[in-house]
Amino acid sequence: MHPQTVLTLALLPSLSTAAETVLGVYIFSRHGDRTAKSTPPTILTDLGYSEVFSSGTWFRNHYIANGSPAQIHGIAPDIVKLSQITASSPLDSVLMPSALGFLQGLYPPVGSTLAQETLRNGTVVQAPLNGYQFIPVGVVSSGTLSEDTAWLQGSGNCANAIISSNNYFISPEYKTLDQSTRGFYTSLGPVINATIPADQTSFKNAFTIFDLINVAEIHNATIPSSDLLTNDTLTQLRTLADTHEFNLAYNASDPIRAIAGATLAAEVLQALNKTVAGAGKAPVTIQFGFYAQFQAFFGLADLTQTNPDFFGIPDYASTMTFELFTNAAPSPFPKPEDINVRFFFHNGTTGNNSAPVAYPLFGRTDNSLPWNDFVTGINKFAIGNQPAWCEACGNSTGVCASPSTSSSRSTSTGSGSSSSGGVSKAVAGVIGAMVTLAVILGVEAIVMLIAGLRLVKKNRLNAAMRQGSDTLKA
Ligand SMILES: *[C@@H]1O[C@H](CO)[C@@H](O)[C@H](O)[C@H]1NC(C)=O
Ligand SMILES: *[C@@H]1O[C@H](CO)[C@@H](O)[C@H](O)[C@H]1NC(C)=O
Ligand SMILES: *[C@@H]1O[C@H](CO)[C@@H](O)[C@H](O)[C@H]1NC(C)=O
Ligand SMILES: *[C@@H]1O[C@H](CO)[C@@H](O)[C@H](O)[C@H]1NC(C)=O
Ligand SMILES: *[C@@H]1O[C@H](CO)[C@@H](O)[C@H](O)[C@H]1NC(C)=O
Ligand SMILES: *[C@@H]1O[C@H](CO)[C@@H](O)[C@H](O)[C@H]1NC(C)=O
Ligand SMILES: *[C@@H]1O[C@H](CO)[C@@H](O)[C@H](O)[C@H]1NC(C)=O
Ligand SMILES: *[C@@H]1O[C@H](CO)[C@@H](O)[C@H](O)[C@H]1NC(C)=O
Ligand SMILES: *[C@@H]1O[C@H](CO)[C@@H](O)[C@H](O)[C@H]1NC(C)=O
């Protein structure tokens, strides 16, 4: 090849990215390394803290800091502007600390020069912790839109989804695998029998068993009968857990099973639309959530067709990123026609040598798609309001009670599964009460978290977690 051609080709990628401006991102992340589910209380480990901190630092160096390759248009580079960032996590002793750890990386302490102020009387006050920045983390059961928490409670609260997931346990696929893996699981008895009784050591508990051994492989120097845990065995344990969890989260012919992905999709759409419709408002959303939400979304968005790796459980600190960008001038704020969306996934901790990879959504071939096509694609499965949630879930009690009496007023405009219909007054009252409760719990949780991660009252936390234990597949 002619040397000049080589040079031109080498320049091309950087030229094309230079013309591009990022307008906003939605980041959905799994927590970092933690202790095992079967040895409660489950807590974030130091390793896990480092993982989410590393991810947060990478995202800072990619989207926030001055000189970043994809710095978001108008973003505050050092001192956080709270109007620009929305963070949320369920009230959980692993996810909430993970979110805080990630945010520490995203907006680190401002340093002693910036972290000081001069009082009226001339005294200079230095902020503690080198100017640690506070970013409130909204407490939600599974999403960022606390106004609408009721419909965001995930599959654990959705009648039809519970039925659908349970159907997996009577499916021929499940029964076949359960039978054919009896010997395999029994052979692992000596490794796990201190924690999991023999009659529970089967494919039915594929995830719990995988989780226990996976955690031990990372943390425990004295695993009993560890010679049984060959690489092949470990791979098989993981693959079986992948199959088990994916099938609980998604079934192509029974979409309600993926309700956790459908509500997540609506949250992504609504958050990004806030930026598009609001001309650059609230450009950064960060949400921490469960691996089952990833898996349900992978299924719904046809990512499994793009790459079979998406059938697997995402590793700790994995992230999905939805990036809004434009090739037009970023100011004045571009029209929706000039805005595109790109999806990235990163399996595990993001760091300098391991960046997220772009994948095409909705079975397409191109990694980026026009905003309007993204809206159309995601609206095929997004469930974004209370009436649609109640209808899809087949729920008719609680917040879903008597839709005919009070909702006619506010939801006259169609009942498409994704139209942003209103919520009836009666329902709004209930939601209001729940939001208040969530806010109270949230403030308490943040105070306790600041006071010391391990001081969180276990009873209360466990009670909160039990509420949605079916969905807490973190
Ligand atoms: C200045 O004001 C602060 C806060 O009220 C107080 O703690 C400090 O003692 C004052 N310093 C002097 C020199 O008066
Ligand atoms: C929906 O129905 C299921 C099963 O009856 C119930 O457990 C759940 O609490 C209901 N969810 C809501 C939000 O009413
Ligand atoms: C998926 O759903 C179909 C239709 O309900 C059912 O026949 C099949 O067994 C299900 N598969 C799994 C793995 O649950
Ligand atoms: C666990 O397995 C080991 C090795 O087979 C055996 O010695 C031990 O008694 C078992 N413990 C329990 C609680 O079953
Ligand atoms: C390691 O495994 C042994 C045997 O199951 C157990 O007694 C011990 O508590 C574990 N240690 C840690 C740090 O988990
Ligand atoms: C098992 O996998 C680890 C990590 O991938 C590797 O370092 C090791 O050599 C493998 N052991 C065998 C026996 O293949
Ligand atoms: C985006 O938000 C605007 C303003 O709230 C609304 O009119 C529009 O329908 C929304 N679009 C989508 C796709 O949700
Ligand atoms: C993530 O990595 C795990 C192995 O560490 C693998 O089983 C899984 O399929 C991967 N998932 C994706 C989406 O790449
Ligand atoms: C990662 O890259 C950034 C920017 O180049 C650099 O400041 C940082 O020190 C690097 N971090 C590690 C852990 O190498």
Side-chain angles (χ1 to χ4, degrees), residues 188-198 224-225 228:
L188 294 173
V191 182
I192 57 176
N193 69 2
T195 313
I196 300 179
S225 308
L228 291 173

Side-chain angles (χ1 to χ4, degrees), residues 105-438:
L106 199 68
Y107 277 105
V110 294
S112 53
T113 332
L114 289 175
Q116 62 177 37
E117 69 174 342
T118 308
L119 302 181
R120 175 183 156 91
N121 67 9
T123 303
V124 175
V125 176
Q126 201 76 40
L129 296 175
N130 206 28
Y132 176 92
Q133 306 201 55
F134 300 106
I135 301 177
V137 178
V139 174
V140 284
S141 51
S142 76
T144 50
L145 302 169
S146 49
E147 300 89 345
D148 293 323
T149 33
W151 60 266
L152 286 172
Q153 288 185 351
S155 51
N157 221 0
C158 169
N160 287 342
I162 297 168
I163 295 167
S164 176
S165 285
N166 280 336
N167 278 342
Y168 175 54
F169 295 109
I170 53 170
S171 70
E173 293 95 324
Y174 171 82
K175 286 181 176 159
T176 309
L177 212 45
D178 183 34
Q179 283 308 317
S180 65
T181 55
R182 284 287 155 125
F184 172 72
Y185 281 106
T186 306
S187 75
L188 294 173
V191 182
I192 57 176
N193 69 2
T195 313
I196 300 179
D199 63 345
Q200 309 269 339
T201 303
S202 71
F203 181 61
K204 185 167 202 306
N205 294 310
F207 180 76
T208 315
I209 295 169
F210 159 73
D211 186 55
L212 180 64
I213 292 178
N214 187 45
V215 168
E217 281 281 312
I218 297 170
H219 294 280
N220 199 332
T222 56
I223 304 175
S225 308
S226 63
D227 52 311
L228 291 173
L229 300 176
T230 63
N231 281 359
D232 280 353
T233 301
L234 293 172
T235 305
Q236 189 166 2
L237 265 173
R238 177 186 284 277
T239 310
L240 287 167
D242 286 347
T243 305
H244 190 269
E245 296 306 296
F246 188 83
N247 282 311
L248 286 177
Y250 180 77
N251 178 325
S253 48
D254 199 6
I256 192 63
R257 192 174 301 182
I259 183 74
T263 52
L264 173 63
E267 289 172 84
V268 172
L269 178 61
Q270 289 176 17
L272 294 180
N273 187 43
K274 215 185 222 181
T275 307
V276 172
K281 252 193 190 159
V284 179
T285 307
I286 292 150
Q287 188 185 346
F288 271 72
F290 313 113
Y291 66 78
Q293 287 171 288
F294 281 88
Q295 291 189 304
F297 184 83
F298 293 163
L300 291 171
D302 282 337
L303 286 157
T304 43
Q305 284 175 26
T306 301
N307 185 333
D309 285 351
F310 283 106
F311 284 108
I313 298 170
D315 287 337
Y316 298 137
S318 289
T319 46
M320 288 198 272
T321 306
F322 299 81
E323 185 183 284
L324 283 177
F325 70 96
T326 184
N327 291 309
S331 178
F333 197 80
K335 297 191 290 293
E337 301 82 79
D338 291 330
I339 297 176
N340 303 294
V341 178
R342 206 187 269 126
F343 171 83
F344 295 88
F345 175 72
H346 189 269
N347 202 0
T349 308
T350 306
N352 278 358
N353 300 319
S354 184
V357 177
Y359 293 94
L361 290 171
F362 316 135
R364 297 168 62 117
T365 49
D366 43 350
N367 287 341
S368 72
L369 71 173
W371 166 251
N372 290 325
D373 291 5
F374 174 76
V375 171
T376 310
I378 210 158
N379 264 341
K380 290 195 177 130
F381 55 80
I383 294 182
N385 62 64
Q386 189 73 63
W389 186 92
C390 291
E391 191 185 335
C393 291
N395 270 60
S396 56
T397 57
V399 293
C400 297
S402 62
S404 53
T405 48
S406 48
S407 74
S408 48
R409 214 176 318 143
S410 44
T411 57
S412 50
T413 49
S415 57
S417 66
S418 45
S419 67
S420 53
V423 175
S424 74
K425 270 196 185 149
V427 171
V430 176
I431 294 177
M434 294 178 69
V435 171
T436 313
L437 187 65

Side-chain angles (χ1 to χ4, degrees), residues 27-34 44-59 94-95 97-99 101-102 214 218 238 286-291 294 298 313-321 344-351 354-357 473-474:
I27 301 163
F28 185 81
S29 177
R30 199 180 168 208
H31 55 75
D33 182 83
R34 54 154 169 70
L44 186 72
T45 61
D46 290 340
L47 172 63
Y49 182 12
S50 320
E51 289 170 351
V52 288
F53 181 76
S54 164
S55 280
T57 305
W58 186 89
F59 278 94
V94 176
L95 285 162
S98 293
F102 182 97
N214 187 45
I218 297 170
R238 177 186 284 277
I286 292 150
Q287 188 185 346
F288 271 72
F290 313 113
Y291 66 78
F294 281 88
F298 293 163
I313 298 170
D315 287 337
Y316 298 137
S318 289
T319 46
M320 288 198 272
T321 306
F344 295 88
F345 175 72
H346 189 269
N347 202 0
T349 308
T350 306
S354 184
V357 177
K473 302 196 160 166

